[in-house]
Amino acid sequence: MKNDKHTPGRGFVRRRDALLIGALLAVAFAVWVYGQQLRGGEAGHAEVVYRGVVVRSVSLDSPGRFSIPELPEVEFETRNGAAAFVHSNCPDQVCVNTGWLRIPGDFAACLPNQVLLSIPAEDNGLDAITR
C-alpha cells in the first residue's frame, strides 16, 4: 500500500487560507480608499514656476496649450484634469517625457530652462503622502 499524502477531493486552497486572503484584500482596499481621501481627489490647478517665482496658474478644467512670456519656446498643455510639458528646446527632454501630471504633489522640471510645472498639494496637515 502506498503512503500518499494527497487526500482525494481536497482543494488546493483550504477554507482558512481563503478567509485570510479575503481579509488581506479587504484591508488593502480600505487602505487604498483612505489614501484616496487623504489626497483630496482631483487637483484644481497647475502652477508654472520660472526661476523660483510662480508666473502662471492655470485651471485643469479648461483644456488648452500655452507658454509663458519668459520662455515662449517651452509649451505646456492642460487636458482632462492634467497638465504636461509638450515642447521644450532643452537637449535631454526629461520634462516632456515626464508625462501628464494630475495628482496633487506631482511636478516636472526643465532644469536647463529653470522652469517647473507642478500640481500644488493642499495643506491638509500631513508632511507627506507616499505612493
Side-chain angles (χ1 to χ4, degrees), residues 24-38 129-130:
L24 289 174
L25 288 173
V27 168
F29 180 74
V31 168
W32 178 78
V33 168
Y34 181 68
Q36 294 293 320
Q37 291 173 349
L38 284 179
I129 297 174
T130 61

Side-chain angles (χ1 to χ4, degrees), residues 35-116:
Q36 294 293 320
Q37 291 173 349
L38 284 179
R39 275 200 318 215
E42 297 297 317
H45 71 283
E47 292 180 347
V48 178
V49 179
Y50 178 65
R51 294 187 175 180
V53 177
V54 176
V55 293
R56 182 141 186 202
S57 181
V58 294
S59 172
L60 296 177
D61 295 331
S62 56
R65 267 184 120 139
F66 65 94
S67 62
I68 57 173
E70 296 85 355
L71 287 171
E73 61 277 0
V74 178
E75 294 181 10
F76 309 91
E77 185 174 346
T78 56
R79 174 176 18 136
N80 300 327
F85 279 90
V86 290
H87 180 266
S88 179
N89 62 348
C90 62
D92 54 8
Q93 299 291 299
V94 171
C95 54
V96 175
N97 293 326
T98 299
W100 293 91
L101 313 174
R102 61 179 35 101
I103 299 171
D106 280 352
F107 68 93
C110 183
L111 296 181
N113 288 313
Q114 299 178 18
V115 65
L116 173 79

